[in-house]
Amino acid sequence: MFDVLIANLPYLMKGTLQTLWLALVGVGLGTFLGTVLGVVSAMVGGAVAALIATYVFVIRGIPVLVWMFLAYYMLPQLGLMVGDVTAVIGALILYTGAFVTEIARGAVLAVPRHQTEAAKALGMRKLTMLRLVILPQAVSLFIPPLLNNSVMMIKATSYVSVVGVWELTYAAREVVERTLAAFQIFLGVMLIYFLICYPLTLAARFLEKRYSYEH
Amino acid sequence: MSTKPDMPMIRVRGVYKSFGDLKVLDGMSFDVARGEVLAIIGPSGSGKSTMLRCLNFLEEHDAGEILIEGEPLGYRVLDDGRRVRESEAEIARMRSNVGMVFQSFNLFPHRNVRENITMAPVSVKNVDKAEANDRAEALLEKVGLAEKIDEYPSRLSGGQQQRVAIARALAMEPKVMLFDEVTSALDPELVGEVLTVMQKLAEEGMTMVIVTHEMQFAHDVGDRLMFIDRGNIVEEGDPTKVFSMPESPRLKEFLHRFSASFG
Ligand SMILES: Nc1ncnc2c1ncn2[C@@H]1O[C@H](COP(=O)(O)OP(=O)(O)O)[C@@H](O)[C@H]1O
Ligand SMILES: [Mg+2]
């Protein structure tokens, strides 16, 4: 009954690897970017925080799909001759970064003020305080929403197919066009996305619970 | 920096502080001598915490000058009267000489007692880990909590947490200790153990500024008592004298209300 799916599974697996690679680079670097920006925004404040807030506002205000198109069509017009994969990864990084910035900023700001006051009163400078007092306490608030965000962004990698970047969803469409077995193939694709994302969702839920008991 | 024996440990000169339109410190001036225990009392909202927090720059005074052993805290006042903010490093260095204990303990919940105490000496003063550890053990012994060294703060009673907080502050070997109503959040039966530790410190010659509602303690342990109201020092002097012969109507009323509510 699933013979078409099974026959095309190796091809879909290749697409899956590409999806994972896009997710790893795009979501990974975006998470790194967002973590740095969020922590800086919370710690420094002022004009720097305002600038970072603007970035978050602009990026989040527009769907990721539109950013894909923008990156794909606009960058070459601006004279940036980047490949289409680079363009969509750039869009993924910026988009992930904006969401993670907010998560990281919120986590840092959620550490009670009396904790930073205790650290200051002991003579700690900002970076020491960040490393020893703030980040260790912020991390429990940071990880669960970060995992949920990663799930969202992994699913968003499927949008890259609209500008012709090949990955799992694109590969599936190719197979469907060839075999017309849309039901089987997309059922399989659904399962693959599920198998990638579900463990992350579970981990997020588990950590959320564990941290909430601690406090 | 060499210490200046001729300077008082703390010198506060004409310190003003407002939060928005609310004037909280209205030109405070006082000294605290080396080894002196100054007890500060006053009604709620009178500016006691704000004054104390100014003494390690957790609040930044709007005008006036605060000197710790003759060194300006937070702002340097130039000859032409302009104020220049000190660098973050300099402020941190000054703070490391001034220990503070808070009403709400503020221990680091993600670290055990040992790490709470050794964290600052190791990371701020580059004290060797083994040495910091020895010091932590000695300090815990002193506050009567040697057996709690590997516990996490959440497993300790309020009184125990506060004694750890005192040990944590002492581990930096501060020249002054500030206490802001450190027993107010405790169940009555736990107050004594914390006050005992503070009394011991006072007897050892630590310079202390204590904001408290424990009138008996202020009387017994304070070398000097200061009553503040609406950001002003209304009355100060020898505790026995101030308590037995209050001069200002405001202090009389304050003490009267206190004895009424506390028997
Ligand atoms: N960070 C702050 N922002 C605004 N108002 C404050 C702040 N801290 C204290 N206040 C106000 O300043 C006044 C004095 O507060 P505080 O020094 O805490 O008094 P006390 O310790 O004597 O009870 C109070 O009216 C209080 O509400
Ligand atoms: Mg207070």
Side-chain angles (χ1 to χ4, degrees):
Chain A
M1 150 145 208
F2 287 106
D3 46 331
V4 181
L5 176 60
I6 290 163
N8 286 285
L9 210 48
Y11 191 68
L12 291 179
M13 278 299 134
K14 261 176 75 186
T16 305
L17 281 183
Q18 177 74 2
T19 288
L20 286 175
W21 185 81
L22 284 172
L24 206 68
V25 178
V27 181
L29 291 181
T31 297
F32 178 76
L33 172 75
T35 305
V36 172
L37 290 181
V39 171
V40 167
S41 165
M43 294 296 289
V44 177
V48 176
L51 204 67
I52 294 174
T54 308
Y55 154 73
V56 171
F57 182 76
V58 170
I59 296 283
R60 294 212 310 186
I62 296 172
V64 65
L65 185 58
V66 176
W67 283 114
M68 300 273 170
F69 281 128
L70 279 174
Y72 184 74
Y73 292 111
M74 293 290 286
L75 289 181
Q77 292 211 346
L78 295 173
L80 284 167
M81 280 308 157
V82 297
D84 47 3
V85 174
T86 312
V88 296
I89 285 186
L92 276 175
I93 291 174
L94 285 182
Y95 207 71
T96 308
F99 280 87
V100 174
T101 298
E102 278 304 278
I103 297 173
R105 198 179 78 92
V108 168
L109 291 178
V111 174
R113 204 180 60 143
H114 68 238
Q115 286 289 310
T116 56
E117 288 191 341
K120 279 187 199 166
L122 287 164
M124 287 188 206
R125 298 184 58 180
K126 265 196 171 171
L127 279 179
T128 310
M129 178 163 90
L130 185 67
R131 181 169 59 85
L132 296 176
V133 177
I134 297 178
L135 291 185
Q137 295 189 63
V139 80
S140 60
L141 300 164
F142 180 57
I143 299 290
L146 182 68
L147 290 176
N148 285 325
N149 187 65
S150 300
V151 169
M152 188 182 88
M153 290 314 299
I154 288 169
K155 289 185 280 194
T157 59
S158 62
Y159 290 134
V160 306
S161 61
V162 298
V163 293
V165 173
W166 190 80
E167 42 64 75
L168 177 58
T169 303
Y170 197 110
R173 274 192 358 228
E174 286 175 332
V175 175
V176 169
E177 272 166 32
R178 198 152 32 78
T179 62
L180 299 178
F183 176 73
Q184 280 185 46
I185 295 302
F186 278 109
L187 196 68
V189 165
M190 193 186 88
L191 202 67
I192 292 170
Y193 276 115
F194 180 78
L195 287 176
I196 295 171
C197 294
Y198 190 58
L200 290 175
T201 309
L202 277 188
R205 217 180 286 168
F206 171 77
L207 290 175
E208 251 163 32
K209 257 199 205 130
R210 210 189 81 187
Y211 292 138
S212 68
Y213 287 155
E214 259 176 29
H215 287 283
Chain B
M1 277 276 170
S2 59
T3 57
K4 298 173 185 157
D6 50 322
M7 286 299 285
M9 186 59 85
I10 299 173
R11 166 155 287 180
V12 175
R13 281 290 169 271
V15 163
Y16 287 83
K17 172 76 187 172
S18 299
F19 292 111
D21 289 337
L22 181 69
K23 185 177 274 184
V24 176
L25 299 180
D26 193 10
M28 299 270 282
S29 298
F30 60 91
D31 287 351
V32 184
R34 190 177 308 274
E36 188 178 28
V37 177
L38 171 66
I40 301 178
I41 60 170
S44 168
S46 58
K48 305 181 297 296
S49 295
T50 304
M51 186 61 248
L52 201 69
R53 290 159 57 80
C54 281
L55 296 180
N56 68 357
F57 211 56
L58 283 181
E59 298 295 353
E60 307 187 5
H61 48 292
D62 300 333
E65 201 171 22
I66 298 173
L67 305 171
I68 308 291
E69 279 198 314
E71 286 192 75
L73 174 67
Y75 293 100
R76 198 171 284 275
V77 180
L78 302 182
D79 289 338
D80 60 7
R82 275 186 303 138
R83 300 198 321 158
V84 182
R85 201 174 193 281
E86 303 275 9
S87 69
E88 195 225 348
E90 174 60 17
I91 291 167
R93 189 185 66 80
M94 292 292 286
R95 278 181 180 142
S96 69
N97 292 324
V98 180
M100 179 146 192
V101 185
F102 302 86
Q103 180 175 347
S104 51
F105 329 135
N106 303 4
L107 292 179
F108 303 128
H110 58 297
R111 297 292 190 95
N112 66 21
V113 167
R114 180 198 309 273
E115 294 161 337
N116 262 275
I117 298 174
T118 58
M119 186 194 286
V122 170
S123 66
V124 175
K125 292 174 85 179
N126 292 318
V127 175
D128 175 68
K129 265 215 171 102
E131 192 190 328
N133 196 54
D134 291 348
R135 201 188 291 170
E137 284 171 7
L139 284 168
L140 282 174
E141 191 77 49
K142 178 175 180 158
V143 301
L145 290 170
E147 77 285 3
K148 300 292 186 192
I149 191 158
D150 292 317
E151 288 288 4
Y152 277 82
S154 58
R155 313 240 321 154
L156 303 179
S157 73
Q160 291 170 335
Q161 288 191 51
Q162 198 57 296
R163 284 184 283 155
V164 172
I166 294 173
R168 178 177 71 174
L170 290 173
M172 288 297 284
E173 303 185 310
K175 296 171 176 166
V176 187
M177 285 284 281
L178 311 175
F179 296 86
D180 190 5
E181 291 195 34
V182 297
T183 57
S184 296
L186 298 177
D187 292 335
E189 74 271 20
L190 302 179
V191 168
E193 63 192 52
V194 174
L195 294 182
T196 306
V197 168
M198 290 167 66
Q199 177 152 21
K200 203 154 62 171
L201 262 186
E203 284 161 4
E204 288 170 5
M206 176 62 80
T207 308
M208 297 162 67
V209 182
I210 303 173
V211 171
T212 187
H213 285 307
E214 300 286 337
M215 295 301 154
Q216 188 65 46
F217 183 76
H219 174 269
D220 295 347
V221 175
D223 295 316
R224 192 149 54 98
L225 187 76
M226 198 162 98
F227 171 66
I228 74 175
D229 191 18
R230 291 173 228 166
N232 288 294
I233 301 172
V234 178
E235 211 162 320
E236 70 177 317
D238 173 65
T240 307
K241 188 163 159 287
V242 172
F243 274 128
S244 57
M245 287 178 288
E247 286 169 8
S248 68
R250 278 194 264 171
L251 177 54
K252 281 180 191 161
E253 190 206 324
F254 176 75
L255 292 176
H256 181 73
R257 242 186 300 144
F258 241 89
S259 51
S261 54
F262 287 89

